[in-house]
Amino acid sequence: MRKFSILLKQLIFCPSNIEKTKVIIDYLNDVDIEEAGYTVAALTNNLKFKHIKAYKVKQIIKSKVDSTLFDLSYDYVGDLADTISLIWNKKPKNSHKKYSFLEIITILNSNDLDLEKFVTDFLNNNNLDERWAFIKLLLGGFRIGASATFIKNTLAEYGRKNKDDIEKVWNGLSPPYLNLLKWLKDEGGYPKINLNETFHTMMLANSFDLNKDANKISPENHIAEYKWDGIRVQVLCENNTIKLYSRTGENISSSFPEITFNSRELVVLDGELLAGKNFIPQSFGELQKRINKKKPSKKLLDETSVFIRLYDILFFEGKDIRNENLIVRKQKLENFYSKYLLNNKFDISEIIPFSNFQQLEKIYKSLYKSKFKEGLMLKRKLSLYISGRKKNLWLKWKRAPKYIDAILMYAQRGHGKRSSFYSDFTFGVFDNNNIVPIAKAYSGYSDEELVKLDRFVRENTITSFGPVREVNKKLVVELAFDSMQKSNRHKSGIALRFPRFHRIRWDKPVNETLLLNEIKSEFIN
Amino acid sequence: MFIEALNAYIDPIKPVDKAIITHAHADHAKPNHNKVLATKDTINIMKIRYGENCAKKFQAIEYGEKININGLGITLYPAGHILGSAQVLLENKKNKVLITGDYKTKSDDTAQSFELVKTETLITEATFGLPIFKHPEPAEEIEKLLSSIKLFTNKCHIVGAYALGKAQRVISLLRKKGYDDIIYLHGAIEKITNYYLQRGIKLGKLKKVTKDDVHNLKGKIVIAPPSALKDKWVRKFPDVRYCLASGWMIIKQRVKQSKIELPLVISDHADWNELTNTILNSKAKKIWLTHGRTDALEYWCKKNNLNAMALYLKRDD
């Protein structure tokens, strides 16, 4: 447990990713393979103990320390591991037996675990950092500044392997990932996984940049499709059993019981789940009624129909065809569709014919007012299906953004390189005589502009609330955003999708900006 | 805080006619009062910070020296917080009220040691008034800084520490551990530190950091006010390890949020144990709580059958 706690502490206190990578690799080299595997599982949030719940742990602690003082402390600290490790007031005894990391994992997994006794004994016999790491291990949610993707990249670096190959098998493996680690250490072959039980991490697109990418697009090398505004899903079917996964790999089959088809051999499809009947899409707002409803009522099923518009096929007739190119895959998708999917729950995403880029641009511009088409997808014909966001294969060309002028209200310091700069901003617009917040933006400005913004914040601060500075409301920034929706959660009643800086209007007086009402009537239909 | 019988304020935040100042930190000692009563050190530091004429009249008293005004005895006792910091005891024949001001009971070679005073009413600070705050031994924390220098030999260690009190305490702790290299100072720390030197506190070889130094500070220690760590000032150092000496650094999420790489849990305030022990040992029958997390202490007092209430200081008074 000591090594694990030192690792966590080094990670949480380390702002540099390069150093974090080094710290993790040193750790993996230091501990034995099983310990390494469970740590990887913990850090990627894949280590779950089915008998352990946060509320139970809290209950145990509150029965051992003053519960009012615990609540006041937790309220102040905001992190359970910090609070518990600090409030525990017994000095550890050195005489007591210390469990190893692996013994702890075994005990936490065992069916006859006496959680209260075990937690109490552990807290009584270990120091502050170990207590802290123990509670993190117990409850997950590490918040130490190392995401699952970061850990996987680190593993690739550790084993000098391709991270796509890690991603391909990752979802089919489980803790303590011994086969994966052996392969990374060149002590074993590439891990085998159970394909029909596994979500295959999706291939994602990079953003299209008109200036850089336009001349690379040609009808010889690319196909164009619409980018539909629904949720990306993966459909798995084998032995006539279907599984539906969201982009993050969450099994959402039970929310969409009407999505069915029959295939004995393994098929994996990639598509967009949309609300609508007879393949006529409705807005994303309609689809939202169905998302997160684990057991939809019959009424809801009748009222809000869904269908899947297919983009791609990963497995066909039991075979992995991700290493075939896109044209071959699209052909196989057609074959499969005509053979199996003659029902009203699936259709195929149309391919937009074009003979030159100008034609594409025209189509792109016509999407400005569309409610369902978010933009265009430009995919290389020869692209293999590679998990993650591989460069130069698929490009998303999102609909032109919309713009509003907004007033800078609050600023907060950024992270990493920006940590001495005020770089995270909150903007508002006038609602009668008050300014109400409508968006947060922290991208879209240049380094030089950031220096100027930082100076503006420092020179115009009125008050500060913790790390947040409130500034004099006199700077107007033109924000770009993708779409605007009604929202009950925000005071302004609207929510912007992906707001970012477009231009800083040093020249523009705040009283020349649009009012909240005017903005609503212009952008919300 | 207004004392009616004296027509005087303790640590007023706006200029007043009569002020009793517990210590020279900026949120307690403001300039432009008419008359100031404080310890010699507090007055001297105020003069360094705000100028010789930052009040019309100064009256310095010794620790333990009782003066009488309007039938009320005033005595200052060492608070152990920083050099010159004082607790204020007010007494008449019937009653005794002790205002602790900011204090700590742990040892500190750069401040006069805290003296426990028995009283009937205790007005205590509560900065670290939660049971999660138990400050470790400062020597252990300083050891962490010393091992970091050995481990990260090419990094300049910038230690955030309040210019008055904390900075000098950190230097003194380093010297006590045998660190005898030059310690570099941010400009804002220099003047105050000179006063500590004048007062005979040994701090070893010190140097104000200049533009020419910034590239030659690998493996060296620079002491700077905490605000400087977030300021443009740090951008000129090529390879920095950010350290911060503060009681808050015991919370790891806090450390992460403030982007500190090496937290040093060194505080000039009483922790939970010191606060509760002082309350008990003062034998006070009434406890008033101010400055900080009062609700947990108030609850604790009541649970221990002590009469307690939180005192909220008005911003405009």
Side-chain angles (χ1 to χ4, degrees):
Chain A
M1 198 64 195
R2 201 180 62 87
K3 283 180 181 169
F4 181 71
S5 72
I6 292 172
L7 171 72
L8 293 198
K9 206 170 112 171
Q10 282 178 317
L11 290 176
I12 197 173
F13 292 164
C14 175
S16 139
N17 282 344
I18 297 167
E19 274 172 46
K20 273 181 203 162
T21 304
K22 195 177 163 292
V23 163
I24 295 170
I25 291 176
D26 286 349
Y27 173 85
L28 295 175
N29 282 326
D30 183 30
V31 299
D32 80 51
I33 188 164
E34 210 178 334
E35 192 163 343
Y38 279 116
T39 299
V40 166
L43 296 181
T44 52
N45 226 356
N46 285 303
L47 188 61
K48 303 269 187 312
F49 305 106
K50 58 180 181 219
H51 311 295
I52 297 170
K53 300 274 179 303
Y55 81 90
K56 276 194 200 164
V57 174
K58 233 155 82 176
Q59 247 170 26
I60 292 169
I61 306 300
K62 286 174 74 165
S63 71
K64 307 284 168 188
V65 302
D66 186 298
S67 79
T68 306
L69 290 177
F70 177 84
D71 285 339
L72 288 168
S73 300
Y74 180 44
D75 185 51
Y76 181 75
V77 176
D79 182 281
L80 210 47
D82 261 328
T83 312
I84 294 173
S85 60
L86 286 169
I87 205 167
W88 202 262
N89 46 17
K90 295 238 172 50
K91 277 258 156 64
K93 286 172 252 155
N94 288 326
S95 57
H96 199 274
K97 175 188 178 343
K98 286 220 175 182
Y99 292 109
S100 73
F101 183 74
L102 291 176
E103 283 171 326
I104 291 169
I105 302 278
T106 310
I107 294 168
L108 292 176
N109 270 322
S110 69
N111 282 320
D112 53 355
L113 164 69
D114 182 343
L115 185 64
E116 177 166 341
K117 184 174 183 314
F118 185 64
V119 168
T120 319
D121 281 351
F122 186 93
L123 294 177
N124 279 343
N125 293 301
N126 289 276
N127 70 29
L128 174 65
D129 292 342
E130 288 160 350
R131 296 196 294 265
W132 172 74
F134 174 73
I135 300 294
K136 291 267 180 215
L137 181 72
L138 221 54
L139 304 178
F142 280 76
R143 300 204 290 157
I144 52 171
S147 67
T149 312
F150 180 79
I151 301 292
K152 287 180 211 166
N153 290 342
T154 304
L155 287 176
E157 203 168 320
Y158 164 67
R160 296 167 199 279
K161 297 284 190 295
N162 187 335
K163 77 170 200 274
D164 299 335
D165 290 334
I166 295 177
E167 200 58 73
K168 255 189 191 171
V169 290
W170 180 267
N171 299 320
L173 301 172
S174 53
Y177 302 108
L178 295 185
N179 292 338
L180 180 77
L181 288 169
K182 280 182 190 158
W183 170 66
L184 289 172
K185 292 161 92 129
D186 296 320
E187 289 168 8
Y190 188 55
K192 289 198 178 62
I193 57 166
N194 203 354
L195 295 167
N196 57 346
E197 295 282 328
T198 306
F199 165 71
H200 304 280
T201 304
M202 289 176 183
M203 178 157 176
L204 304 170
N206 287 289
S207 291
F208 174 81
D209 181 334
L210 186 60
N211 298 323
K212 280 194 211 145
D213 299 326
N215 56 8
K216 293 182 197 154
I217 305 297
S218 69
E220 289 76 41
N221 293 326
H222 292 86
I223 62 160
E225 292 175 278
Y226 292 113
K227 184 176 184 337
W228 297 94
D229 192 11
I231 57 172
R232 194 69 190 281
V233 288
Q234 187 172 94
V235 190
L236 253 92
C237 186
E238 194 183 46
N239 291 326
N240 303 331
T241 320
I242 200 160
K243 288 196 187 75
L244 197 61
Y245 292 102
S246 72
R247 218 182 85 165
T248 52
E250 194 190 341
N251 189 333
I252 53 168
S253 316
S254 68
S255 297
F256 303 96
E258 69 264 57
I259 302 290
T260 59
F261 67 91
N262 292 326
S263 169
R264 231 174 33 76
E265 287 172 313
L266 177 66
V267 168
V268 179
L269 303 165
D270 181 343
E272 192 89 15
L273 183 75
L274 294 158
K277 265 191 185 128
N278 302 322
F279 305 119
I280 299 163
Q282 290 173 306
S283 75
F284 188 77
E286 276 303 298
L287 184 61
Q288 262 176 330
K289 295 179 186 165
R290 294 287 305 271
I291 298 172
N292 295 329
K293 292 273 176 349
K294 291 240 165 81
K295 281 181 191 163
S297 64
K298 190 168 178 307
K299 191 166 163 260
L300 183 65
L301 286 174
D302 288 342
E303 277 171 5
T304 315
S305 302
V306 298
F307 66 95
I308 293 176
R309 184 151 280 171
L310 296 169
Y311 294 132
D312 216 323
I313 185 163
L314 287 70
F315 285 74
F316 180 50
E317 296 176 333
K319 274 191 269 174
D320 186 349
I321 54 166
R322 284 177 290 177
N323 283 334
E324 305 274 9
N325 72 46
L326 179 61
I327 296 304
V328 175
R329 295 201 309 275
K330 284 276 189 191
Q331 191 54 51
K332 293 200 167 155
L333 180 63
E334 290 282 350
N335 294 347
F336 172 77
Y337 184 74
S338 53
K339 227 163 144 185
Y340 292 90
L341 287 174
L342 293 169
N343 66 24
N344 61 352
K345 290 298 166 203
F346 294 89
D347 76 348
I348 291 190
S349 149
E350 80 181 89
I351 291 178
I352 308 164
F354 70 102
S355 48
N356 56 46
F357 185 74
Q358 285 65 35
Q359 277 181 11
L360 268 186
E361 200 165 11
K362 219 167 166 186
I363 300 167
Y364 168 79
K365 282 180 179 155
S366 73
L367 300 179
Y368 184 68
K369 292 219 155 146
S370 168
K371 277 190 187 172
F372 335 109
K373 293 172 188 162
E374 257 196 308
L376 295 179
M377 294 294 300
L378 308 171
K379 298 178 178 173
R380 275 192 83 87
K381 287 180 174 172
L382 294 182
S383 59
L384 314 181
Y385 194 99
I386 298 171
S387 297
R389 209 180 293 278
K390 198 84 178 171
K391 270 188 188 145
N392 296 324
L393 296 179
W394 291 4
L395 293 168
K396 56 180 175 193
W397 191 6
K398 280 182 128 184
R399 220 167 32 191
K402 302 173 172 86
Y403 303 100
I404 46 166
D405 284 332
I407 304 154
L408 180 61
M409 300 177 73
Y410 308 103
Q412 216 175 335
R413 275 190 304 276
H415 299 267
K417 255 173 73 179
R418 293 175 174 180
S419 57
S420 70
F421 291 97
Y422 283 87
S423 61
D424 300 4
F425 304 98
T426 304
F427 292 94
V429 293
F430 276 106
D431 181 20
N432 295 321
N433 290 324
N434 300 321
I435 300 180
V436 290
I438 54 155
K440 282 187 175 179
Y442 18 82
S443 63
Y445 42 71
S446 66
D447 287 354
E448 294 78 45
E449 281 173 326
L450 178 58
V451 173
K452 282 194 198 164
L453 286 164
D454 179 66
R455 192 179 314 139
F456 176 86
V457 172
R458 289 174 196 279
E459 286 167 4
N460 288 282
T461 301
I462 318 173
T463 44
S464 35
F465 318 91
V468 181
R469 288 200 184 191
E470 180 173 8
V471 298
N472 245 324
K473 315 289 181 303
K474 63 180 197 189
L475 179 63
V476 176
V477 172
E478 191 174 345
L479 297 176
F481 61 98
D482 286 353
S483 66
M484 186 182 288
Q485 284 166 336
K486 281 185 203 159
S487 163
N488 304 329
R489 266 184 290 175
H490 299 90
K491 200 173 160 194
S492 61
I494 56 171
L496 307 191
R497 264 192 170 182
F498 189 31
R500 66 266 185 192
F501 277 63
H502 182 59
R503 292 192 281 175
I504 305 171
R505 299 298 305 267
W506 300 105
D507 54 317
K508 191 162 185 169
V510 290
N511 54 16
E512 286 176 20
T513 57
L514 291 184
L515 304 177
L516 183 60
N517 288 336
E518 296 169 323
I519 287 171
K520 279 183 185 166
S521 66
E522 185 171 338
F523 292 104
I524 297 180
N525 20 20
Chain B
M1 193 184 301
F2 182 62
I3 314 296
E4 207 175 353
L6 298 174
N7 195 25
Y9 293 82
I10 297 181
D11 294 347
I13 52 175
K14 275 175 143 176
V16 297
D17 181 36
K18 290 185 199 161
I20 302 170
I21 308 288
T22 61
H23 65 287
H25 274 152
D27 49 340
H28 293 260
K30 300 279 175 194
N32 304 323
H33 302 306
N34 198 12
K35 292 179 196 155
V36 165
L37 178 73
T39 63
K40 186 96 194 125
D41 284 324
T42 297
I43 290 170
N44 288 341
I45 298 168
M46 282 178 76
K47 285 180 176 169
I48 291 170
R49 289 200 141 173
Y50 302 126
E52 279 293 320
N53 303 317
C54 64
K56 288 220 175 77
K57 217 179 134 203
F58 290 100
Q59 183 179 1
I61 56 171
E62 299 284 327
Y63 288 121
E65 173 194 347
K66 196 201 272 188
I67 59 166
N68 282 291
I69 299 174
N70 299 349
L72 206 60
I74 307 172
T75 322
L76 301 184
Y77 291 94
H81 177 58
I82 60 167
L83 187 63
S85 66
Q87 313 176 71
V88 183
L89 181 73
L90 304 173
E91 59 191 317
N92 59 19
K93 275 173 195 151
K94 283 188 217 147
N95 217 332
K96 266 187 179 180
V97 179
L98 181 78
I99 299 115
T100 64
D102 291 348
Y103 78 95
K104 70 171 178 289
T105 63
K106 288 210 171 72
S107 85
D108 176 353
D109 289 350
T110 64
Q112 297 87 351
S113 299
F114 174 86
E115 203 176 315
L116 181 77
V117 182
K118 302 232 160 72
T119 182
E120 270 139 41
T121 301
L122 178 73
I123 304 181
T124 174
E125 67 137 326
T127 308
F128 289 111
L130 282 172
I132 51 165
F133 292 114
K134 280 158 240 155
H135 307 323
E137 280 304 317
E140 287 169 24
E141 298 299 297
I142 284 296
E143 203 58 67
K144 289 179 191 167
L145 176 58
L146 292 173
S147 27
S148 177
I149 295 167
K150 282 179 201 145
L151 202 60
F152 300 92
T153 45
N154 55 356
K155 291 210 166 195
C156 169
H157 287 59
I158 302 186
V159 182
Y162 290 121
L164 168 55
K166 186 71 67 64
Q168 296 77 22
R169 185 175 179 210
V170 168
I171 297 169
S172 153
L173 285 164
L174 280 165
R175 298 305 185 205
K176 219 172 169 177
K177 279 275 170 188
Y179 183 78
D180 54 10
D181 209 339
I182 297 176
I183 295 174
Y184 292 82
L185 304 181
H186 180 279
I189 289 178
E190 200 191 17
K191 268 193 195 168
I192 307 272
T193 305
N194 286 341
Y195 178 73
Y196 273 66
L197 293 174
Q198 251 179 60
R199 289 281 283 105
I201 293 160
K202 298 213 163 51
L203 299 175
K205 262 188 270 171
L206 305 171
K207 182 180 184 307
K208 182 178 160 181
V209 65
T210 61
K211 265 194 185 154
D212 304 329
D213 291 327
V214 295
H215 292 278
N216 306 317
L217 293 175
K218 285 182 179 174
K220 306 287 179 197
I221 297 173
V222 177
I223 314 272
S227 59
L229 266 59
K230 300 165 188 167
D231 193 49
K232 293 181 250 178
W233 177 78
V234 292
R235 293 180 206 158
K236 43 185 187 191
F237 294 86
D239 205 358
V240 174
R241 192 158 158 80
Y242 294 96
C243 319
L244 185 65
S246 158
W248 305 113
M249 291 293 102
I250 198 140
I251 302 175
K252 292 185 176 67
Q253 278 304 328
R254 274 290 178 98
V255 179
K256 183 181 163 219
Q257 283 154 14
S258 44
K259 326 240 159 60
I260 294 299
E261 294 159 273
L262 181 65
L264 303 170
V265 188
I266 300 176
S267 174
D268 286 334
H269 289 272
D271 69 5
W272 176 258
N273 291 337
E274 292 172 81
L275 288 168
T276 50
N277 284 335
T278 305
I279 290 172
L280 288 176
N281 295 336
S282 73
K283 308 280 179 207
K285 295 191 179 64
K286 256 193 246 166
I287 292 107
W288 289 357
L289 307 156
T290 170
H291 283 106
R293 272 121 293 280
T294 52
D295 38 11
L297 261 187
E298 187 180 345
Y299 165 83
W300 179 89
C301 286
K302 286 179 177 160
K303 203 177 148 194
N304 287 281
N305 295 320
L306 294 164
N307 180 346
M309 66 179 250
L311 198 63
Y312 298 99
L313 297 184
K314 266 200 191 165
R315 236 21 197 144
D316 264 338
D317 211 334

